[in-house]
Amino acid sequence: MFKLGKFAATSQIFGGSRRYFSSKVVRTVEEALEGLKDGDTVLAGGFGLSGNPENLIKGILDKGTKNLTVVSNNCGTDKFGLGILLNQKRIKRMISSYVGENAEMERQYLSGELELELVPQGTLAEKMRAGGAGIPAFYTPTGANTLVELGGFPIKVGKDGKPVIVSERKPRETFDGKDYIRERSIRGDFAIVKAMKADTKGNLIFHKTARNFNQDAATAGKICVAEVEEIVEAGQIDPDQVHLPGIYVQRVFKGDSWVKPIEKTVYDTSDEPPKKDRSRGELVREKIAKRACKEISNGMYINLGIGIPVLIPRYLDPGVQIELHSENGVLGVGNYPKKGQEHPDLINAGKETITVNPGASFFSSSQSFAMIRGKHLDMTILGGMQVDQKGDLANWIIPGKLVKGMGGAMDLVSAGSKVMVVMEHTAKGAHKILKECALPITGKGIVDVLITEMAVFRFVNGEMILEDIAEGLSLEDIKKNTGAEFKVKNNLGTF
């Protein structure tokens, strides 16, 4: 039986001298959060609702701590995860990459009640990793030539909707002909993380995609508290199986219970009869996904964004085998699960339930984006709000109206891998393909291929070239529905 309490000790002998190691196990959530005070910066692990330190978050709520700066990929939902602190106005500033489906977070920000610093997901993970590694700053291509570099993004707005605090411009350097911006690392007063198992020395094992930001956040807190499901004696975890060494962890706490909600339970329905009555939207998305398949070759490593991109694998030819990467820390994403096979610790970046294929692997968020930034992926496929004739993409915010957040999109499009955008050609009749993006851009000149239900455009040397049009449409139809100038390929194809 392991010993509890910060004064409990075990001894080991090395070369004749005796050294004592205090057990890091604490009995209560109150002990786990001892020293946390108003105004502190808290780094929190989790992605969506997967891998959330639920008991520690509730402990902070019960403790009454307020005016917190919270650093986490997102802020849970309206009812779960960090969202419960947000609802009670305990968070002063949120530093995250994604607002997503948290309507209360968006409301508080747009009404001036919450400070919001949006950071690209890979940059956020690297800020934590670098902070924990003692690196004060680093250069990244992510966000170059966007609001992330140029500054001026409203971190806080007044009641009149006008900016009160705005982001600062970031220094830029050019290496080997490519633009990079300098980002400061992050350290926190506390890190709260969730792991599956710990030993009394604080060595941690995470579970599947619940590792996500937990491993990175743990390293960057002055005090790291690990909430776990199981605690064992030191020596009962094989050293080869340790995901995070105990040197980063000051306290270990065994939670009482977990809700572990799943945000988006999606099942494999491939063996069910197809729907008889399908909406126009479903047919349009299917058409786009089928055409996108022609751009994919056997053996590719690919990242799929949410929406239309996740439909693509179901339409690939049987002979085309690909490896799917998901930003939240998995390579080898498989089908959706059958009913009863879903697990809250196994999701994709869209927070949907998944399975994994033989040979899959799990890793931290920073490692996931190292794969992306290091150009180890062959292709990124994502959706878009707007694309312009120079190949700029906008897909993360509509100022003053929709605060979606960039998530991992800026990292993905800036890495140098092939970028395919799949989206509907217009939005209620309004042009989405423009001479110049009217919305803040995700990346400058980064689109290689654009596929809609009406046309396929390829971007070559700064020019937009119409390559294919949908059967039944004319060139005039494309011109009428496109607000950009483009060239037409000889021997125009159809799909």
Side-chain angles (χ1 to χ4, degrees):
M1 181 67 181
F2 56 84
K3 297 182 179 181
L4 293 170
K6 52 190 173 185
F7 302 111
T10 58
S11 65
Q12 295 183 3
I13 297 176
F14 298 92
S17 63
R18 187 179 299 271
R19 297 181 62 189
Y20 290 87
F21 293 89
S22 295
S23 170
K24 296 181 178 181
V25 180
V26 295
R27 293 180 175 86
T28 66
V29 70
E30 290 79 13
E31 284 184 85
L33 295 171
E34 183 180 339
L36 179 67
K37 60 186 185 301
D38 293 352
D40 274 353
T41 295
V42 178
L43 313 181
F47 186 95
L49 298 178
S50 180
N52 277 216
E54 296 179 26
N55 291 274
L56 290 173
I57 292 170
K58 185 177 183 301
I60 294 174
L61 183 69
D62 294 341
K63 186 179 174 69
T65 318
K66 59 184 183 299
N67 293 326
L68 296 170
T69 294
V70 176
V71 186
S72 190
N73 180 61
N74 56 290
C75 197
T77 63
D78 295 354
K79 297 180 180 180
F80 294 104
L82 292 167
I84 67 173
L85 296 178
L86 189 74
N87 289 341
Q88 296 300 314
K89 308 291 181 66
R90 302 297 178 80
I91 300 175
K92 177 184 179 183
R93 175 176 288 203
M94 193 73 208
I95 302 176
S96 59
S97 81
Y98 194 67
V99 175
E101 294 73 34
N102 193 325
E104 176 62 14
M105 184 178 179
E106 185 176 40
R107 187 201 67 76
Q108 286 191 25
Y109 168 67
L110 291 175
S111 64
E113 299 170 38
L114 175 72
E115 296 175 13
L116 175 60
E117 189 175 338
L118 284 172
V119 181
Q121 191 178 135
T123 298
L124 184 63
E126 189 65 15
K127 279 174 173 279
M128 294 184 191
R129 190 208 66 81
I135 299 171
F138 57 90
Y139 282 95
T140 175
T142 302
N145 301 298
T146 74
L147 272 179
V148 173
E149 176 198 343
L150 302 176
F153 177 81
I155 292 174
K156 181 178 174 61
V157 298
K159 292 182 179 179
D160 57 1
K162 294 181 180 179
V164 176
I165 304 172
V166 297
S167 62
E168 297 180 354
R169 188 182 185 100
K170 302 213 172 123
R172 183 205 294 183
E173 293 282 351
T174 301
F175 299 97
D176 300 323
K178 187 169 183 174
D179 293 336
Y180 292 76
I181 60 175
R182 192 176 73 208
E183 293 278 5
R184 290 296 306 269
S185 304
I186 288 178
R187 295 277 294 177
D189 300 295
F190 266 73
I192 56 172
V193 301
K194 167 68 168 56
M196 180 180 70
K197 181 186 288 190
D199 66 17
T200 54
K201 287 189 176 181
N203 294 309
L204 301 183
I205 293 178
F206 301 102
H207 190 232
K208 302 184 185 297
T209 57
R211 186 185 309 196
N212 52 63
F213 274 83
N214 280 294
Q215 186 166 337
D216 302 310
T219 68
K222 294 176 184 176
I223 297 174
C224 173
V225 186
E227 175 183 319
V228 300
E229 299 179 31
E230 181 184 3
I231 303 175
V232 298
E233 282 285 4
Q236 292 185 345
I237 295 178
D238 183 339
D240 257 347
Q241 304 305 312
V242 172
H243 294 153
L244 184 76
I247 193 170
Y248 295 108
V249 179
Q250 282 68 49
R251 300 170 191 168
V252 175
F253 165 70
K254 187 176 184 299
D256 295 326
S257 61
W258 293 270
V259 179
K260 287 190 177 183
I262 297 174
E263 282 188 68
K264 298 178 183 178
T265 304
V266 184
Y267 295 117
D268 177 9
T269 58
S270 59
D271 56 356
E272 296 180 8
K275 290 172 61 177
K276 293 182 179 180
D277 298 319
R278 303 176 67 193
S279 68
R280 177 191 174 277
E282 288 175 314
L283 294 172
V284 164
R285 291 189 289 273
E286 179 184 280
K287 185 175 185 178
I288 296 170
K290 284 182 174 179
R291 175 56 183 84
C293 289
K294 295 183 179 181
E295 304 292 323
I296 297 173
S297 304
N298 189 50
M300 277 185 164
Y301 288 91
I302 297 176
N303 181 284
L304 301 178
I306 61 176
I308 296 173
V310 299
L311 302 176
I312 292 171
R314 70 179 65 172
Y315 301 115
L316 287 172
D317 291 336
V320 177
Q321 301 296 319
I322 59 175
E323 290 285 343
L324 293 180
H325 169 275
S326 190
E327 302 99 288
N328 57 318
V330 57
L331 184 65
V333 177
N335 295 326
Y336 294 125
K338 297 292 185 183
K339 287 187 178 181
Q341 294 181 338
E342 69 273 13
H343 196 288
D345 292 346
L346 192 51
I347 62 170
N348 62 18
K351 287 93 169 184
E352 298 172 326
T353 47
I354 59 169
T355 62
V356 292
N357 293 326
S361 55
F362 301 108
F363 32 84
S364 69
S365 291
S366 64
Q367 184 67 54
S368 185
F369 282 92
M371 296 175 188
I372 293 167
R373 206 180 303 111
K375 202 177 176 181
H376 299 288
L377 295 179
D378 296 298
M379 182 184 289
T380 291
I381 308 175
L382 30 62
M385 295 178 182
Q386 294 177 348
V387 172
D388 70 24
Q389 63 193 41
K390 303 183 299 295
D392 295 357
L393 167 69
N395 73 348
W396 67 280
I397 190 172
I398 301 176
K401 294 182 179 180
L402 175 66
V403 187
K404 179 182 177 184
M406 66 284 287
M410 282 191 180
D411 305 272
L412 286 158
V413 302
S414 67
S417 303
K418 185 175 182 178
V419 175
M420 186 198 310
V421 175
V422 290
M423 68 180 194
E424 294 189 33
H425 204 97
T426 60
K428 297 180 180 179
H431 290 159
K432 294 176 66 177
I433 306 171
L434 307 168
K435 290 184 178 180
E436 185 173 355
C437 287
L439 298 174
I441 64 171
T442 307
K444 186 176 181 63
I446 50 77
V447 181
D448 293 296
V449 184
L450 169 62
I451 299 176
T452 76
E453 78 279 15
M454 299 181 71
V456 177
F457 296 95
R458 206 169 295 274
F459 295 80
V460 182
N461 297 325
E463 293 184 328
M464 181 176 171
I465 301 170
L466 177 64
E467 186 172 281
D468 290 347
I469 62 174
E471 292 180 355
L473 296 180
S474 67
L475 180 57
E476 288 306 311
D477 291 325
I478 306 304
K479 289 181 178 179
K480 179 182 177 182
N481 287 280
T482 304
E485 296 176 357
F486 58 87
K487 292 186 175 182
V488 180
K489 180 184 177 183
N490 293 332
N491 301 318
L492 187 64
T494 59
F495 69 100

